[in-house]
Amino acid sequence: MTLPDALLDTLRTHFPGDALATGMAERLAYAYDNSRRNALPDAVVFPTSHEQTEALVKACRAHRVPVIGRGRGTNTTGATVPVAGGVVASFERMNRILRIDPDNRLAVVEPGVLNGDLQQALKPHGFFWPPDPSSSPWCSIGGNLACNSAGPRTVKYGSPRENTLGLRAVAGTGEGFRCGTYTSKGATGYDLTRLLIGSEGTLALITEATLKLTPKPSALRTIRATYRDVSAAARAVARIMAQPVTPCALEFIDDVALKLARDYGGDSVPLAGAMLMIEVDGEAETLPSAVDAVSRAARGDGLEDLRVAETAEETQALWSARKALSPAQRTISPNKINEDVVVPVSHLPELVDGIKQLARKHDVLIVSFGHAGNGNLHVNLLPRDESERERAHACLADVFALVISLEGTLSGEHGIGLVKKEFMPLALQPSTLQLMRHVKAAFDPEGILNPGKLLP
C-alpha cells in the first residue's frame, strides 16, 4: 500500500518533524514484534497526546488506511505486526505518569509508560500495580492492557482487567471517549473498560489508563519444592490452591525444562521430575503461619525436597532454575513456539500428562513451565529443523484440542494476535464469534484498527 498524498499531508500537519517517519529504516524497525513475524508499515507516527491520536484515526478512516497501535513490541503473537500495511502508531513518547493518588489507591498513566518504571515510581508510596509480565522492564502499560498481559502475581492479585478502573481511548471512528470510573465500585452502563482490555487494539487506541493500586506487603518468602514426576507436582498445585492461603506466585517447571536450565545454569539447578516455585507475601507477623500452610499443602505423595529461603541470597539461588530457562531454550531452538494455554487448576495434572503424550506422539521436544496457580502453562515446542517444525505445528493443533477438552482456553496472557486466530473456532462457538464481529463493527465500522488480528 502507498499512502495517498492527501493523507501524508494531513499526517505531516499533525505529526511535525520526527513525529512522522516514512524512511525505510524506521519502517523496518516497526515491522516486527517478538513473534518474529514481520510486515512493512507505510509510515510510523509517534503520538504525544490524545488529540493527536483522534486526528490520526480520523484521517486514516477517511482514506480507509489501517492504523496499528504499538507499545514496545514485546508480544509473542504478532499482535502489532502491520499485515495490511498502513500507519503504525507507536505510543512510546506518551510515557508520562500523570497522577499517583495513594488516598484513592489509583494512578493515571499514559500508554507508553513502562511497567517497570511505574513500579519504581509507586515504591515510595508503598503501593504496586500487580500485573508483572516477565518483560516488565521493557513492556508498556498500553501493551499490557491491549493483551491483558499478567504474570506470576495474577494468581493472587488478578490480571490487568481486575486492576484497571477506567480508560480514555479513541475508537475506529476517530471519536474519543472515556469509560470506567475513578472509584473501586461502579454500576453505570456497560463495562467497556474490561471489553477494551485484551482486545489487542482492534476496537480502540488507549491513550490514558486509570489503574487500581495495591498496598505492597512488607514481607515475602520463597519456597522451592521438587517432585518425583510432573503428575505429583500438578497434584500439589491443586492442593495448594484448595487451601485458604493464596500464594502470590506458584510456578511450575517440568523435568525437560529443569535439565535444560541445569545444562545452561549449572549445578544450582536441581534435577527432578518437576519443580514448583512458590512465593507467599504478607505482613511479618502473619507470614510464618501462611508459609507453613502452603508448605503443608505442597507436601504429599511424590515430594522429594522442600526448601524455604531465609535470606535474599537464598531466594536468588532458589530462582536460578527459572531465570536460566529462557536463555537455555534459545540455545536449543531459535524457532521456539511459545504458547500460554490455560485450564482449570483441577485439570492441570491431565494437561501436563497429555502434553507429555503429545510430545512422544509427534516426536517433538516440549518444555512446559508457567503460572500453575492459574492453570496457565507455557508450552514451548522446540523444533530444531524443518521436519521438526512441521511436526511441531501438527502437535500444536493437538495441544489446543487437548486444552479445550479440559475446559480450558487458548491463551491466559499472551493473547491471540496472528498466530492463534485460526484456532479461535475451537474455543468459541460461531454465535459468540459473530457477536464479537458485531462489537468490532460498532467500534470500528471501516475495520481500520489492527486488521487481520484476533478474529478469524
Side-chain angles (χ1 to χ4, degrees):
M1 175 187 292
T2 301
L3 297 184
D5 290 339
L7 175 57
L8 280 170
D9 289 342
T10 303
L11 293 179
R12 290 188 187 102
T13 300
H14 292 289
F15 297 91
D18 68 353
L20 167 66
T22 56
M24 181 59 73
E26 294 91 343
R27 290 160 60 203
L28 281 170
Y30 293 85
Y32 63 93
D33 58 23
N34 201 32
S35 69
R36 300 183 300 278
R37 306 289 183 97
N38 66 85
L40 199 64
D42 298 286
V44 183
V45 296
F46 302 92
T48 54
S49 72
H50 175 88
E51 291 71 24
Q52 271 188 320
T53 308
E54 285 187 342
L56 166 69
V57 177
K58 285 175 182 174
C60 288
R61 183 190 184 195
H63 294 276
R64 304 296 192 270
V65 168
V67 182
I68 301 89
R70 181 185 173 98
R72 289 304 180 98
T74 58
N75 82 87
T76 62
T77 67
T80 56
V81 175
V83 290
V87 180
V88 166
S90 175
F91 287 95
E92 62 198 80
R93 297 183 188 177
M94 284 185 73
N95 59 357
R96 294 178 300 164
I97 298 173
L98 302 174
R99 174 181 167 192
I100 295 176
D101 185 349
D103 291 349
N104 291 304
R105 294 191 176 188
L106 64 84
V108 181
V109 304
E110 292 181 329
V113 172
L114 298 186
N115 183 300
D117 289 349
L118 175 63
Q119 308 296 359
Q120 289 299 316
L122 295 174
K123 268 186 182 178
H125 302 276
F127 284 85
F128 71 107
W129 190 54
D132 61 332
S134 60
S135 57
S136 59
W138 315 285
C139 65
S140 68
I141 299 297
N144 295 167
L145 297 173
C147 296
N148 197 32
S149 304
R153 288 196 294 237
T154 309
V155 64
K156 182 172 183 178
Y157 295 106
S159 71
R161 280 200 176 103
E162 288 76 51
N163 290 281
T164 304
L165 297 172
L167 299 170
R168 191 181 190 194
V170 179
T173 59
E175 296 174 279
F177 64 96
R178 288 185 180 272
C179 55
T181 65
Y182 292 100
T183 58
S184 59
K185 294 177 74 174
T188 309
Y190 298 124
D191 191 347
L192 299 183
T193 302
R194 289 178 68 91
L195 176 63
L196 292 186
I197 295 171
S199 65
E200 302 182 13
T202 62
L203 303 180
L205 300 180
I206 295 169
T207 58
E208 182 182 294
T210 302
L211 307 176
K212 184 174 77 173
L213 305 182
T214 298
K216 194 167 184 64
S218 63
L220 178 75
R221 196 67 61 81
T222 300
I223 305 165
R224 185 176 78 184
T226 55
Y227 294 87
R228 179 183 61 231
D229 52 42
V230 292
S231 297
R235 289 193 298 272
V237 170
R239 288 196 304 273
I240 292 167
M241 293 310 295
Q243 53 84 49
V245 177
T246 303
C248 63
L250 178 47
E251 301 289 288
F252 169 90
I253 306 175
D254 76 0
D255 55 332
V256 181
L258 284 173
K259 187 176 185 309
L260 274 181
R262 187 181 177 94
D263 290 345
Y264 184 87
D267 293 346
S268 62
V269 179
L271 285 178
M275 185 172 81
L276 297 181
M277 292 297 305
I278 311 162
E279 285 192 337
V280 183
D281 64 3
E283 299 311 302
E285 313 80 54
T286 58
L287 191 60
S289 62
V291 171
D292 286 345
V294 172
S295 298
R296 283 196 303 272
R299 298 181 190 279
D301 179 50
L303 178 73
E304 292 184 340
D305 183 53
L306 188 145
R307 298 185 185 185
V308 180
E310 300 293 343
T311 66
E313 291 76 18
E314 289 179 13
T315 297
Q316 189 172 3
L318 292 188
W319 276 104
S320 59
R322 183 65 178 84
K323 292 183 183 301
L325 204 44
S326 290
Q329 288 182 91
R330 285 195 290 270
T331 66
I332 298 293
S333 173
N335 300 301
K336 177 179 74 168
I337 300 172
N338 177 16
E339 298 301 341
D340 72 317
V341 297
V342 58
V343 298
V345 172
S346 63
H347 291 320
L348 192 62
E350 297 161 85
L351 175 62
V352 170
D353 287 342
I355 287 171
K356 288 282 185 188
Q357 292 171 25
L358 291 176
R360 289 192 293 268
K361 173 185 172 182
H362 291 278
D363 191 21
V364 172
L365 181 64
I366 299 181
V367 172
S368 296
F369 60 92
H371 317 310
N374 302 109
N376 181 197
L377 207 60
H378 292 267
V379 180
N380 296 268
L381 293 82
L382 303 178
R384 289 157 290 191
D385 55 40
E386 186 57 39
S387 65
E388 286 193 0
R389 276 197 290 274
E390 290 179 10
R391 296 201 301 273
H393 284 288
C395 182
L396 185 61
D398 283 352
V399 169
F400 288 145
L402 170 65
V403 167
I404 299 302
S405 74
L406 296 174
E407 301 180 319
T409 194
L410 304 179
S411 176
E413 58 188 7
H414 291 175
I416 301 301
L418 277 176
V419 301
K420 278 186 276 202
K421 71 172 188 172
E422 67 181 280
F423 299 104
M424 285 284 273
L426 275 177
L428 300 171
Q429 63 190 81
S431 58
T432 305
L433 287 169
Q434 191 58 30
L435 279 172
M436 289 184 175
R437 292 188 182 98
H438 291 323
V439 170
K440 164 74 170 170
F443 276 87
D444 181 22
E446 271 68 53
I448 63 168
L449 293 183
N450 207 9
K453 314 294 171 54
L454 203 151
L455 292 174

